[in-house]
Amino acid sequence: MDTGGNSLPSAAPDGVKRKVCYFYDPEVGNYYYGQGHPMKPHRIRMTHALLAHYGLLQHMQVLKPFPARDRDLCRFHADDYVSFLRSITPETQQDQLRQLKRFNVGEDCPVFDGLYSFCQTYAGGSVGGAVKLNHNLCDIAVNWAGGLHHAKKCEASGFCYVNDIVLAILELLKVHERVLYVDIDIHHGDGVEEAFYTTDRVMTVSFHKFGDYFPGTGDVRDIGYSKGKYYSLNVPLDDGIDDESYHFLFKPLIGKVMEVFKPGAVVLQCGADSLSGDRLGCFNLSIKGHAECVKFMRSFNVPLLLLGGGGYTIRNVARCWCYETGVALGIEVDDKMPQHEYYEYFGPDYTLHVAPSNMENKNSHQVLEEIRCKLLDNLSKLQHAPSVQFQERVPDTELPEAEEEQNEADERWDPDSDMDVDEERKPLPGRVKREIVEAEPKESEGQKGSSGHARGFDTTIAENASGKVSLMRTPARKIECETHNALLFIDYSAHKILKGTCFY
């Protein structure tokens, strides 16, 4: 594939270009969490504008994601939770206060116009990317609207409603024996880790701020359970970590993971709240330092799904994901920003890169060395990549998406697909509240970290006499297996299993 421009040197032996599929829905920037909420889908539209004016779109296959259906979402999420997301509206929420509390919707995860359509859109892009990789139609798939890693099977969490990452990994597992998940968001990838905590087919690696910070999980001692023991790696970090310190851990750990686990596909969540100057974050990574993780994963020549995630200083989010799209393509984009509709967001310098701050790096070399040694020791206990026999494999999903600006109809569904149209689903009104483009407020003090952590109580599931599932508050944390029928209760403070069974 001829990409033109200046190619980035590749660490891969062949040094070839990668075929990239890019998922984008023009409506995604219209969804609006509400006044003052730090999560702004408008950042996806800003990213797309940069990609267009830097000329990167012409080097990728640009696809509009097919919205995920009820059945797709229920491959991980509970039926009643998906039904609730589908039906709730700002006008009806006052009549469903009990349901709002049950599913943790209302504060950090507000009800807004078009909520369910938003979930369908970002989840559809991630699952669509997995399908493209499964069919060898691209080397790298990109969905910057995805990466919402906190959502649980039965509840919203941390601005996330549907866990598109888990859905994409489940899709990849249809073809690949092993899938690696890597998370460079500043927050722990708790929802993904929980979903695959007891299986050796998915390894989760999360680099995150740890200690009095949302969601409060991700201790270095949390390593997985049963067949999944040592298949969860947590890298707890402190404020102010810079590029050099970050890659002191990232490269040797991920290099060893790739050597030992030998994944057939990789999912990289590129949350941009780990950048310097993020409205809710406290790390000090540069855009190039953040993108170095993408470049490193790209070098292994393994099918790669790139997803978005956090990021709350939206001008820097757009900068970062634009640059990382260039990295995926092997094109070094110019630092001087081209004129475009959001140009004024990037003043006064109007450049793609921003310098890190002079904040203190609280991560001492000694502590980083201890973490590195501990995790490398854990990896040494994995003698070889697990062998998986496929039996009664579910049908491959056929999910062809129409290219952006392609008007002719196409046949989207394979008759043998397990992602059939839900005939019983009632159509939703297509009302979307358009976000007013406004100047960003001044940096606030860790809203996500504080508010989320303050109500960071844990839930477990219990069945009542009628067999219905209800939620109860408990000091233990729920861990669920990939197949939905495994339930473990983990006391994170004691780092031990309280009870549980896995039927995976």
Side-chain angles (χ1 to χ4, degrees):
M1 177 179 172
D2 183 17
T3 58
N6 297 320
S7 298
L8 288 168
S10 172
D14 59 355
V16 298
K17 302 291 185 183
R18 309 300 196 276
K19 184 176 181 182
V20 180
C21 289
Y22 165 74
F23 289 81
Y24 176 72
D25 189 320
E27 287 294 308
V28 74
N30 293 337
Y31 297 103
Y32 185 53
Y33 275 60
Q35 186 175 6
H37 198 289
M39 175 63 100
K40 299 186 182 299
H42 176 59
R43 67 202 177 130
I44 311 301
R45 185 161 50 197
M46 292 173 61
T47 302
H48 185 78
L50 281 179
L51 295 177
H53 286 83
Y54 268 110
L56 295 179
L57 295 182
Q58 62 188 304
H59 302 300
M60 303 183 286
Q61 184 181 16
V62 180
L63 301 165
K64 181 177 179 180
F66 192 89
R69 305 287 177 142
D70 295 7
R71 180 172 299 185
D72 310 334
L73 303 181
C74 289
R75 292 194 61 218
F76 172 62
H77 293 286
D79 294 4
D80 52 355
Y81 175 55
V82 172
S83 177
F84 166 79
L85 290 176
R86 187 176 68 242
S87 63
I88 193 71
T89 67
E91 292 75 23
T92 63
Q93 63 177 325
Q94 290 304 315
D95 301 326
Q96 302 188 53
L97 295 179
R98 187 175 179 182
Q99 293 283 80
L100 289 169
K101 185 176 181 180
R102 174 186 176 190
F103 296 123
N104 197 33
V105 172
E107 293 182 18
D108 281 359
C109 302
V111 178
F112 55 85
D113 285 324
L115 169 59
Y116 190 64
S117 296
F118 175 62
C119 294
Q120 290 179 296
T121 296
Y122 77 74
S126 297
V127 174
V131 171
K132 287 286 186 181
L133 293 172
N134 279 351
H135 287 269
N136 296 315
L137 296 175
C138 63
D139 305 305
I140 301 174
V142 180
N143 177 33
W144 295 129
L148 277 66
H149 57 175
H150 295 306
K152 310 299 192 299
K153 178 181 177 181
C154 299
E155 68 176 59
S157 176
F159 314 162
C160 309
Y161 303 87
V162 165
N163 200 314
D164 62 290
I165 305 170
V166 172
L167 297 173
I169 291 174
L170 290 174
E171 189 66 36
L172 291 168
L173 287 172
K174 292 180 180 181
V175 170
H176 302 283
E177 294 184 355
R178 294 172 299 280
V179 175
L180 170 64
Y181 172 67
V182 181
D183 191 315
I184 58 174
D185 191 291
I186 196 173
H187 300 92
H188 177 229
D190 59 335
V192 185
E193 178 183 282
E194 288 186 9
F196 301 110
Y197 205 68
T198 61
T199 178
D200 59 1
R201 290 192 62 195
V202 179
M203 177 172 280
T204 61
V205 186
S206 179
F207 298 79
H208 51 268
K209 159 73 175 174
F210 183 71
D212 193 26
Y213 199 74
F214 183 87
T217 52
D219 192 287
V220 71
R221 294 171 290 178
D222 298 330
I223 58 174
Y225 179 70
S226 185
K227 285 177 66 176
K229 188 175 182 181
Y230 299 122
Y231 289 90
S232 290
L233 264 70
N234 285 295
V235 188
L237 304 168
D238 208 341
D239 295 1
I241 192 162
D242 55 22
D243 295 350
E244 182 181 359
S245 297
Y246 202 89
H247 292 290
F248 175 77
L249 293 176
F250 187 88
K251 291 187 175 181
L253 289 175
I254 295 301
K256 189 65 175 179
V257 165
M258 295 299 290
E259 174 192 335
V260 175
F261 186 59
K262 293 181 169 57
V266 175
V267 179
L268 177 60
Q269 196 266 23
C270 303
D273 46 7
S274 48
L275 291 173
S276 178
D278 186 79
R279 180 178 170 188
L280 302 187
C282 54
F283 283 0
N284 198 23
L285 296 183
S286 70
I287 289 173
K288 284 192 175 180
H290 194 273
E292 185 67 24
C293 299
V294 178
K295 185 178 177 183
F296 190 68
M297 297 310 313
R298 178 187 188 271
S299 72
F300 291 100
N301 279 332
V302 173
L304 177 62
L305 177 60
L306 296 180
L307 303 176
Y312 308 100
T313 300
I314 60 175
R315 60 186 180 273
N316 290 347
V317 176
R319 285 173 159 126
C320 180
W321 291 345
C322 172
Y323 184 75
E324 290 177 344
T325 304
V327 168
L329 287 165
I331 298 174
E332 181 71 47
V333 292
D334 191 6
D335 188 37
K336 181 176 172 56
M337 191 168 289
Q339 283 277 354
H340 64 289
E341 55 268 44
Y342 303 112
Y343 190 68
E344 293 306 318
Y345 273 76
F346 302 96
D349 297 326
Y350 305 102
T351 56
L352 194 64
H353 294 281
V354 290
S357 72
N358 60 355
M359 71 184 299
E360 177 190 0
N361 183 355
K362 295 185 177 179
N363 300 269
S364 69
H365 184 77
Q366 179 181 351
V367 169
L368 294 177
E369 182 66 47
E370 290 172 358
I371 293 171
R372 187 165 81 160
C373 291
K374 170 67 175 173
L375 294 177
L376 287 174
D377 180 62
N378 288 350
L379 288 170
S380 71
K381 295 171 183 174
L382 302 178
Q383 298 302 320
H384 53 80
S387 178
V388 176
Q389 287 186 339
F390 287 121
Q391 295 180 351
E392 299 181 11
R393 199 182 83 184
V394 291
D396 291 341
T397 301
E398 296 290 346
L399 190 62
E401 294 82 0
E403 289 194 27
E404 192 179 15
E405 301 177 3
Q406 176 181 336
N407 295 320
E408 61 268 22
D410 60 348
E411 187 175 335
R412 296 181 182 275
W413 298 103
D414 175 19
D416 298 325
S417 172
D418 65 343
M419 297 175 68
D420 298 328
V421 176
D422 294 302
E423 296 179 356
E424 72 278 5
R425 186 168 68 87
K426 295 180 181 179
L428 292 173
R431 203 154 47 92
V432 176
K433 188 171 183 180
R434 183 174 293 275
E435 179 177 0
I436 299 173
V437 178
E438 54 183 299
E440 289 188 12
K442 293 182 179 179
E443 315 293 302
S444 61
E445 293 293 331
Q447 178 172 338
K448 185 172 179 182
S450 58
S451 64
H453 188 67
R455 42 172 193 77
F457 37 67
D458 301 311
T459 58
T460 60
I461 297 181
E463 288 190 6
N464 57 26
S466 64
K468 298 290 185 181
V469 172
S470 61
L471 296 179
M472 301 186 301
R473 302 303 175 191
T474 171
R477 187 159 187 83
K478 178 181 92 242
I479 301 291
E480 288 168 348
C481 185
E482 133 189 14
T483 49
H484 307 180
N485 54 6
L487 191 59
L488 302 174
F489 298 97
I490 295 199
D491 181 348
Y492 267 94
S493 61
H495 305 281
K496 64 182 180 181
I497 298 296
L498 300 183
K499 59 179 179 178
T501 310
C502 179
F503 303 101
Y504 177 72

